[in-house]
Amino acid sequence: QLEVEVIDTSGKTIDGPVRLDISVIDQNDNRPMFKEGPYIGHVMEGSPTGTTVMRMTAFDADDASTDNALLRYNILKQTPTKPSPNMFYIDPEKGDIVTVVSPVLLDRETMETPKYELVIEAKDMGGLDVGLTGTATATILIDDKNDHPPEFTKKEFQATVKEGVTGVIVNLTVGDRDDPATGAWRAVYTIINGNPGQSFEIHTNPQTNEGMLSVVKPLDYEISAFHTLLIKVENEDPLIPDIAYGPSSTATVQITVEDVNEGPVFHPNPMTVTKPENIPIGSVVLTVNATDPDTLQHQTIRYSVYKDPANWLEINPTNGTISTTAILDRESPYVQNNIYTALFLAIDSGNPPATGTGTLHITLEDVNDNVPSLYPTLAKVCDDAKDLRVVVLGASDKDLHPNTDPFKFELSKQSGPEKLWRITKLNNTHAQVILLQNLKKANYNIPISVTDSGKPPLTNNTELKLQVCSCKKSKMDCSATDALHISMTLVLLSLFSLFCKSFP
């Protein structure tokens, strides 16, 4: 749009201004262009004739109201050309690509390749020879549907496995003509007969599609030397309605179990028994029982000690009788929570021999065989102390109740005209020693006896060493300057005790 006016040489407007419209007439100078590629379409195999696959649309920059942008579509080339050179047709006006062959020819499994490439031409001027053209490639993929069931490569498979062993024993091979990248090809295996004890499992190898048959519960040759499994194979995806699984989708697996020399088995295991500690050496603890699972081989069994931490036991190699070779001690560090544990072996006469291990738990009942001990055994006191309660004594016993506390604390009779100390019971396990007067600086031995509550009771005669020290300015000097004061009563009691033991 222009505005035009006429002026004279002096610049005076003579006429105008008036509007001048200039119309630019389109010329066909732009080719059609496919801008939305890549163009990839999919069609299911066996689709009916006339099934739409995809739409191809080109763009022309010329005037859309003229034939300069009036496009027509055409297929220039199809690759490959089998099974028909004209597998597809394109609507010249809309650009829709449809199938033109029968569903029988659109069979993915019989095609040279499931991928077709079409060179599509778009021509303006309504497709006239003078029109300009543009091309693009359309890729059409023939999608698989599950129209072929999996089939075993043979009707019967053989496998051999040793008893007692687990793991994969055979790979079952199948063929399937469907696309390996789809659920129409991937196989699912099922054991439909011959596995009542659930000893076998089968899984699919994702790379090969084979069925991996495994033993998951060890087999026993003595129970059954042969197993026959019936296995079926199906696809992950369902078959199309007019296709069914046939006889080739089932197979038989014959499994032979090989005999292996198995170790003897103890009954029960672990074995438990309860015995008092300190039973005489040579006492019978238990007679073990081990049997050989190889019932068809008629083997003999010999026994031996495997682990006996304290060396307390022996076993008869032929009849399995366990007896003691030493005194059983509940307080031993080898006894945990009153239980002593030993291991024994049963060895059969096979070639090579097989071994079974049995565990024996001996619960030891407590016997009053430990005298109580006294603590502490040393006490210190100042010679001018006002508090004459010297020390609190405690007693302990390795035995169990009722062979421990309450303990009885006693002082031996004190020599001399006057008594120097006494002992007072505080509770079942403690007593207090009290001086009856201040003593001179010296070391004293106080004879004390402590007796447990066992039947019969055990007594421990011991001495409490008492140091009487001089204390000045909060410093305690316990160097013994005076003679050692020893209670003669303790000596007399010891001699008397020995005399009584010699003459019961």
Side-chain angles (χ1 to χ4, degrees):
Q1 290 182 352
L2 305 178
E3 284 191 350
V4 180
E5 65 180 358
V6 181
I7 60 174
D8 61 15
T9 56
S10 64
K12 181 179 178 181
T13 300
I14 298 176
D15 193 8
V18 296
R19 192 178 76 172
L20 173 64
D21 290 337
I22 300 175
S23 296
V24 182
I25 299 173
D26 185 40
Q27 181 180 341
N28 189 21
D29 56 352
N30 288 277
R31 294 180 178 275
M33 297 180 63
F34 291 91
K35 293 184 176 182
E36 299 177 357
Y39 296 92
I40 301 175
H42 293 263
V43 62
M44 185 70 69
E45 66 171 328
S47 296
T49 303
T51 300
T52 300
V53 180
M54 60 191 299
R55 172 171 286 187
M56 297 286 288
T57 304
F59 169 78
D60 195 313
D62 292 320
D63 187 356
S65 65
T66 69
D67 287 351
N68 294 339
L70 183 60
L71 304 182
R72 293 293 182 264
Y73 299 95
N74 181 43
I75 298 176
L76 295 181
K77 183 181 180 181
Q78 171 190 303
T79 305
T81 59
K82 295 179 180 180
S84 169
N86 299 306
M87 299 285 293
F88 306 95
Y89 166 79
I90 188 168
D91 187 303
E93 295 182 5
K94 298 180 180 178
D96 289 340
I97 299 175
V98 298
T99 62
V100 294
V101 294
S102 68
V104 176
L105 289 181
L106 203 62
D107 185 358
R108 185 185 179 282
E109 285 75 35
T110 61
M111 290 177 172
E112 182 180 302
T113 173
K115 181 174 73 172
Y116 287 85
E117 290 188 348
L118 305 179
V119 178
I120 306 299
E121 176 190 66
K123 182 183 287 189
D124 60 19
M125 299 301 292
L128 296 176
D129 291 342
V130 295
L132 301 179
T133 63
T135 60
T137 299
T139 300
I140 300 177
L141 301 175
I142 312 301
D143 291 338
D144 187 38
K145 63 181 177 180
N146 197 10
D147 55 350
H148 292 89
E151 297 180 346
F152 284 102
T153 57
K154 51 186 178 180
K155 292 300 295 179
E156 185 174 293
F157 294 85
Q158 304 288 335
T160 301
V161 60
K162 293 182 178 179
E163 66 171 331
V165 175
T166 59
V168 177
I169 58 174
V170 66
N171 291 314
L172 310 182
T173 53
V174 297
D176 194 318
R177 297 170 62 188
D178 292 313
D179 184 2
T182 66
W185 177 81
R186 291 190 290 269
V188 178
Y189 297 87
T190 307
I191 302 173
I192 58 177
N193 196 12
N195 191 27
Q198 306 301 311
S199 298
F200 302 93
E201 286 184 0
I202 188 165
H203 300 280
T204 304
N205 185 319
Q207 282 74 41
T208 64
N209 218 29
E210 294 176 342
M212 302 182 295
L213 180 63
S214 303
V215 176
V216 293
K217 292 182 181 179
L219 304 177
D220 192 337
Y221 173 84
E222 284 70 31
I223 295 178
S224 178
F226 300 97
H227 296 267
T228 300
L229 303 181
L230 183 61
I231 296 175
K232 72 174 181 179
V233 61
E234 299 174 312
N235 288 132
E236 285 185 3
D237 293 346
L239 294 172
I240 61 175
D242 53 341
I243 302 295
Y245 293 105
S248 296
S249 294
T250 60
T252 301
V253 182
Q254 299 290 348
I255 302 168
T256 302
V257 183
E258 293 183 345
D259 191 19
V260 173
N261 187 25
E262 302 170 87
V265 178
F266 284 85
H267 305 283
N269 195 17
M271 301 161 282
T272 58
V273 66
T274 300
K275 295 290 180 182
E277 64 174 334
N278 296 343
I279 59 175
I281 295 175
S283 299
V284 173
V285 176
L286 178 71
T287 297
V288 301
N289 178 31
T291 59
D292 196 328
D294 302 300
T295 55
L296 303 179
Q297 298 185 24
H298 305 291
Q299 300 180 17
T300 59
I301 296 176
R302 293 184 64 83
Y303 300 94
S304 64
V305 177
Y306 179 39
K307 288 185 179 179
D308 178 18
N311 295 318
W312 288 344
L313 307 171
E314 65 179 2
I315 188 169
N316 186 299
T318 56
N319 64 20
T321 298
I322 300 173
S323 54
T324 62
T325 59
I327 297 296
L328 307 183
D329 183 8
R330 191 198 65 84
E331 291 75 32
S332 167
Y334 297 107
V335 176
Q336 301 295 325
N337 297 322
N338 304 324
I339 297 175
Y340 180 70
T341 301
L343 303 180
F344 296 88
L345 299 179
I347 307 168
D348 66 22
S349 57
N351 186 19
T355 302
T357 304
T359 302
L360 172 62
H361 294 310
I362 305 176
T363 300
L364 293 175
E365 296 176 332
D366 188 41
V367 173
N368 192 21
D369 57 349
N370 289 276
V371 297
S373 59
L374 199 67
Y375 61 90
T377 58
L378 173 65
K380 296 180 181 180
V381 66
C382 294
D383 55 2
D384 58 352
K386 295 181 180 180
D387 186 357
L388 298 182
R389 292 175 294 181
V390 177
V391 66
V392 173
L393 297 178
S396 62
D397 196 314
K398 293 181 180 180
D399 294 317
L400 299 177
H401 286 286
N403 295 322
T404 55
D405 60 84
F407 297 111
K408 180 181 179 182
F409 299 89
E410 292 181 303
L411 281 174
S412 302
K413 291 184 179 180
Q414 301 174 47
S415 61
E418 55 182 339
K419 295 181 179 180
L420 302 179
W421 43 71
R422 63 184 173 87
I423 191 167
T424 302
K425 183 176 179 179
L426 297 178
N427 53 37
N428 287 344
T429 56
H430 291 78
Q432 190 168 55
V433 175
I434 302 173
L435 292 183
L436 301 180
Q437 64 185 47
N438 288 108
L439 301 178
K440 294 180 180 180
K441 180 180 179 182
N443 291 337
Y444 298 84
N445 286 338
I446 303 176
I448 298 174
S449 67
V450 56
T451 304
D452 62 26
S453 296
K455 294 182 179 180
L458 295 180
T459 299
N460 181 17
N461 294 311
T462 186
E463 289 184 344
L464 171 66
K465 183 177 181 180
L466 177 64
Q467 292 182 333
V468 179
C469 311
S470 62
C471 302
K472 295 180 180 179
K473 297 181 180 181
S474 302
K475 292 184 178 180
M476 181 176 282
D477 180 12
C478 298
S479 57
T481 56
D482 294 341
L484 181 64
H485 290 254
I486 303 176
S487 174
M488 291 304 294
T489 305
L490 177 61
V491 176
L492 293 174
L493 284 174
S494 299
L495 291 174
F496 180 74
S497 176
L498 289 174
F499 178 81
C500 291
K501 287 182 180 180
S502 300
F503 301 95

